[in-house]
Amino acid sequence: MAFVVWDNPPVVIGGGSYLDELAGLVGAANVFHDIAAASATVGLETIVSRDPDLLVLLRDSATAEPPGFLRRPEWRAVRAVRQARIVYLSGSLFARPGPRAAEAVAEFRRRLEEAMP
Amino acid sequence: MDRELILDVRAVSYRYPETARDALAGVSLVARAGEVHAVLGPNGSGKTTLLRVALGLARPATGSAAILGQPAAAWSRRDLARIVGVVPQREDHLFPQRVRETVLLGRYPYLSVWGAERPEDQAAVDRALARCDVSSLATRWIWTLSGGEYQRVRLARALAQEPKLLVLDEPTASLDVRHEMELFELVRALADQDGLAVVLITHHVNLAARFADRVLLLADGRTAGDGAPADVLTRETVERVFAWPVSIASFDGRPQMIPLRKQEEHS
Amino acid sequence: MRWLGLMVVVVLALALAVVLGPAHVSLADLTTSDIVRSLRLPRALLAFLVGGSLALAGAGLQALVRNPLADPSLLGLSGGAGLGAVLAIALHLNSPWALPLAAFAGALGAMALVYRLGLVGGAELDPRILILAGVAVGAFTAAVTTALVSLSGAAELRNAFLWLWGGLSGASWDSVLLLCVYAPLPVAVLLAAARPLDLLALGEEPARHLGADVEAVKRRVYLAASLLTAAAVAVSGVIGFVGLVVPHAMRLLWGHRHRPLLPAAFLGGGALLALSDTVARVAVAPRELPVGIVTALIGVPVFVLLLRRWTAS
């Protein structure tokens, strides 16, 4: 899986970040675990070649509609986008570690299972 | 046989926006092929404004300015540039340029938007360079030229336009005697041998008197004298227009002005 | 010979952009790889078109405002584009093309404002005032954009700056085709103005005496350069220095006549941006540099050298 923070340029979550740890806790591997920065700009080509099974999108707002960029032709090159394997996490629970960390792990696990039965 | 009428400016007046006074009032200038006209007058007397009106860059409030029978302002710049070649007083050289490139700019009104320069354009440039005796400078950079060479190159550019009328705005402003004379001789020859009509704005009263067929003397935007040099450049008129005491001598049948020192004033 | 050399550089730059990338694609798979076909190839072509447009616009602009150090970023369009982009994000416009369209609309708005301010007395276009107006409009829109971003809590808005700083991540065949349809008109208008621009370098009155329709030339060149820049900003954000440095580099090779200079600037600018984007993609792979950083790293030293030459003479 890959955490996508922004689409143009694509910004993903790297290793040593809270979200990367969360992914480890729920038994999912962040394909950008090797990048030693909390977040980093990468090429779309790198996302395609690392071929995550699903994308996790972080968003401020609780809008239900998927973001427009998923319909852009260059993003269709990403398998997870073509297969519509997208998980949305809202900021408040997942932005930083805190007393609700256990809740975050449980919520994250539930979402992943929904997306990849 | 009457020579071809080229420039026909009749009683033009012009006032710049938001000014109280006419910059030009009732001025006429009629130039035929083979004639050299000198336009004289103190700074601010309307010489350059007259030029702008004559070339259709400013519309006269009254009177008319026509070139080859058509109102000057009605010509497209491109068509007019095939009739009139101008050596402006000042121009910029934003980018370095070679002499031949500069003269080639004179062919602009003959070139199509996408087409390259044709052999006849190169031939016209060669002729213009030769006519102004600057062929040997063709590959030099403009900024390496002396003042006299530079003016002859700009004259060559105007000739590359193959004009019928040549307009020069103070072409000898900063030249020494030899280069000044060379340029005036060349201009006279272009009128006599090539049949060009020439309008020459200058501060050199004496050179104008020697070389011009007719002199137009301007003062405060009005005609102070218009005719053969000997008729216009009288002591009274020159003193009044230039506000300085002078004595007028005669050389080779042409009037020559000698400005007087203060203590030499006419008693 | 020079043209052949330039064409070789162009082909080489495009070839490198297709062959090199953070993902490994073997030469044998080059023609069948999805990464090459749907990502690298359109991105290389978009970089070429954007770089060419910026360099061509820059060359035209330098002659128009009679300042060899002018750059399309002085037109004030990027500020307008940034404001448009931030508004699109703030208003949650969710179409796939919302961002570039809003940026384009913002750039056009800024262009209209600058153009109006540049019309002295409502009639003549004064290029010096045009540049001042461009800088003023650019600074004002940038201030409004920054205010919007810093007053809003949304992290998404801050990301708009990432976009604005320039990059070709949004490249797709759609954007390449769009530019291929859009660009030819302004490109043709600029190329057609080559000879009048030679005349304009002498000054407006001398240019008129030589037969140039100066007012029409100034308007056409300004509008065409602005339209090209607006499209470039809309698809790739603000990419600096290509429009400034490439025309100068080409002047060293082709001289100052605009007929060879303008097409050379287009090809050279395209090659430079395609190369810079390749460097941006592979230099720190798997991460990616903003391409504007690469063009600035190349462009600023060249600019300083030019400035020294220019002030020395």
Side-chain angles (χ1 to χ4, degrees):
Chain A
M1 50 148 313
F3 296 94
V4 175
V5 181
W6 185 248
D7 65 302
N8 186 359
V11 177
V12 298
I13 297 290
S17 63
Y18 176 54
L19 282 168
D20 185 72
E21 260 177 62
L22 276 185
L25 286 174
V26 300
N30 177 8
V31 297
F32 290 107
H33 180 74
D34 62 316
I35 295 182
S39 73
T41 304
V42 296
L44 204 46
E45 175 177 337
T46 311
I47 300 180
V48 171
S49 69
R50 297 205 172 182
D51 198 27
D53 289 322
L54 93 172
L55 299 186
V56 180
L57 305 192
L58 300 162
R59 41 193 359 202
D60 294 340
S61 46
T63 46
E65 211 185 329
F69 76 83
L70 293 176
R71 283 180 281 143
R72 285 183 64 94
E74 67 272 18
W75 277 89
R76 307 297 296 177
V78 180
R79 182 172 58 89
V81 173
R82 286 198 304 272
Q83 296 174 344
R85 292 202 170 140
I86 314 290
V87 168
Y88 301 98
L89 298 182
S90 66
S92 56
L93 191 55
F94 298 93
R96 63 195 71 83
R100 295 167 70 203
E103 193 188 323
V105 171
E107 173 73 9
F108 193 14
R109 181 173 284 136
R110 201 174 56 74
R111 296 284 189 86
L112 288 182
E113 280 163 2
E114 273 172 24
M116 300 204 64
Chain B
M1 192 186 102
D2 242 13
R3 289 162 152 179
E4 189 183 10
L5 176 63
I6 294 176
L7 178 66
D8 189 5
V9 176
R10 296 282 165 103
V12 290
S13 301
Y14 184 80
R15 181 179 292 189
Y16 286 98
E18 291 164 46
T19 55
R21 212 174 49 83
D22 283 341
L24 279 181
V27 177
S28 298
L29 174 59
V30 178
R32 294 175 181 276
E35 294 176 349
V36 175
H37 289 253
V39 180
L40 295 171
N43 296 325
S45 59
K47 300 190 296 289
T48 301
T49 306
L50 174 62
L51 205 94
R52 290 178 53 85
V53 169
L55 298 179
L57 294 171
R59 273 173 200 271
T62 60
S64 64
I67 292 166
L68 294 183
Q70 185 179 329
W75 286 89
S76 75
R77 297 314 315 174
R78 185 180 162 86
D79 288 342
L80 192 61
R82 297 179 183 202
I83 311 289
V84 186
V86 181
V87 179
Q89 197 175 345
R90 268 185 297 272
E91 65 191 52
D92 302 331
H93 292 277
L94 192 56
F95 302 117
Q97 217 171 28
R98 292 184 192 274
V99 166
R100 195 182 174 84
E101 288 171 355
T102 299
V103 176
L104 195 56
L105 293 180
R107 295 305 293 172
Y108 172 73
Y110 295 93
L111 295 168
S112 69
V113 172
W114 302 109
E117 291 84 7
R118 303 151 300 171
E120 65 246 51
D121 298 311
Q122 301 294 351
V125 169
D126 289 334
R127 279 197 304 277
L129 287 168
R131 194 72 184 86
C132 296
D133 199 20
V134 286
S135 299
S136 59
L137 307 177
T139 57
R140 289 262 298 274
W141 292 104
I142 283 287
W143 52 271
T144 66
L145 302 180
S146 71
E149 290 167 340
Y150 175 67
Q151 290 299 58
R152 290 212 306 276
V153 166
R154 300 204 308 145
L155 185 54
R157 184 182 65 202
L159 292 183
Q161 292 172 249
E162 300 185 312
K164 293 184 170 216
L165 171 64
L166 192 59
V167 176
L168 303 111
D169 194 352
E170 294 188 24
T172 61
S174 56
L175 300 187
D176 59 34
V177 172
R178 179 189 139 200
H179 292 107
E180 201 170 63
M181 288 303 288
E182 277 177 356
L183 202 80
F184 270 87
E185 293 287 3
L186 177 55
V187 165
R188 186 68 249 182
L190 287 169
D192 292 341
Q193 294 160 17
D194 303 33
L196 287 174
V198 178
V199 172
L200 177 72
I201 291 182
T202 181
H203 279 301
H204 291 280
V205 175
N206 291 343
L207 286 175
R210 297 278 302 279
F211 284 93
D213 299 304
R214 290 176 72 88
V215 169
L216 172 62
L217 187 57
L218 293 181
D220 284 334
R222 284 161 178 79
T223 305
D226 181 13
D231 299 334
V232 173
L233 300 174
T234 60
R235 184 172 68 88
E236 293 74 19
T237 310
V238 172
E239 285 187 346
R240 181 164 50 79
V241 169
F242 290 97
W244 194 262
V246 300
S247 174
I248 300 289
S250 179
F251 182 84
D252 200 17
R254 303 269 181 163
Q256 292 291 290
M257 171 192 83
I258 298 137
L260 300 180
R261 300 271 318 262
K262 276 288 180 194
Q263 64 267 33
E264 296 166 346
E265 274 186 62
H266 316 289
S267 46
Chain C
M1 196 57 217
R2 286 172 301 184
W3 288 107
L4 188 68
L6 185 59
M7 287 311 296
V8 168
V9 170
V10 167
V11 170
L12 210 63
L14 288 175
L16 282 176
V18 170
V19 171
L20 298 180
H24 177 76
V25 178
S26 70
L27 283 174
D29 299 334
L30 220 50
T31 51
T32 53
S33 158
D34 199 35
I35 284 181
V36 170
R37 274 197 305 191
S38 59
L39 293 177
R40 279 190 201 167
L41 201 51
R43 186 162 172 164
L45 292 173
L46 191 71
F48 179 77
L49 291 172
V50 166
S53 297
L54 288 173
L56 177 60
L61 204 63
Q62 285 162 10
L64 175 69
V65 304
R66 313 165 54 65
N67 184 339
L69 301 182
D71 178 276
S73 64
L74 295 179
L75 290 167
L77 304 183
S78 42
L83 186 56
V86 163
L87 284 177
I89 296 170
L91 296 173
H92 295 290
L93 298 180
N94 207 19
S95 139
W97 300 94
L99 205 67
L101 283 178
F104 185 65
L108 288 190
M111 177 182 104
L113 192 56
V114 172
Y115 185 75
R116 184 63 198 84
L117 290 171
L119 282 175
V120 180
E124 284 196 17
L125 201 60
D126 187 328
R128 292 161 306 168
I129 294 186
L130 210 55
I131 280 289
L132 291 177
V135 171
V137 168
F140 186 76
T141 46
V144 173
T145 307
T146 310
L148 274 177
V149 170
S150 53
L151 291 178
S152 147
E156 284 169 338
L157 283 189
R158 279 190 286 281
N159 290 330
F161 277 114
L162 283 179
W163 173 83
L164 195 58
W165 283 336
L168 293 146
S169 312
S172 65
W173 284 111
D174 290 3
S175 41
V176 171
L177 287 178
L178 203 67
L179 218 51
C180 280
V181 171
Y182 172 93
L185 183 66
V187 166
V189 168
L190 281 171
L191 293 181
R195 282 207 185 96
L197 284 177
D198 288 345
L199 302 187
L200 208 55
L202 301 171
E204 293 191 10
E205 291 264 326
R208 286 195 181 94
H209 295 319
L210 287 163
D213 188 353
V214 168
E215 282 308 312
V217 168
K218 285 192 296 185
R219 282 160 199 243
R220 278 188 216 132
V221 168
Y222 171 74
L223 290 176
S226 295
L227 286 173
L228 274 183
T229 308
V233 172
V235 297
S236 64
V238 182
I239 297 172
F241 291 99
V242 177
L244 172 69
V245 168
V246 172
H248 282 289
M250 294 301 136
R251 277 197 191 94
L252 294 178
L253 290 164
W254 269 271
H256 294 82
R257 293 174 64 203
H258 287 87
R259 252 170 81 82
L261 177 64
L262 294 180
F266 186 89
L267 294 173
L272 177 67
L273 193 57
L275 270 179
S276 299
D277 189 51
T278 305
V279 171
R281 288 185 299 122
V282 301
V284 293
R287 302 177 70 170
E288 191 171 297
L289 288 169
V291 70
I293 288 182
V294 180
T295 56
L297 285 177
I298 299 170
V300 173
V302 177
F303 179 73
V304 169
L305 277 175
L306 286 170
L307 201 59
R308 282 181 59 96
R309 273 177 54 129
W310 191 62
T311 49
S313 63

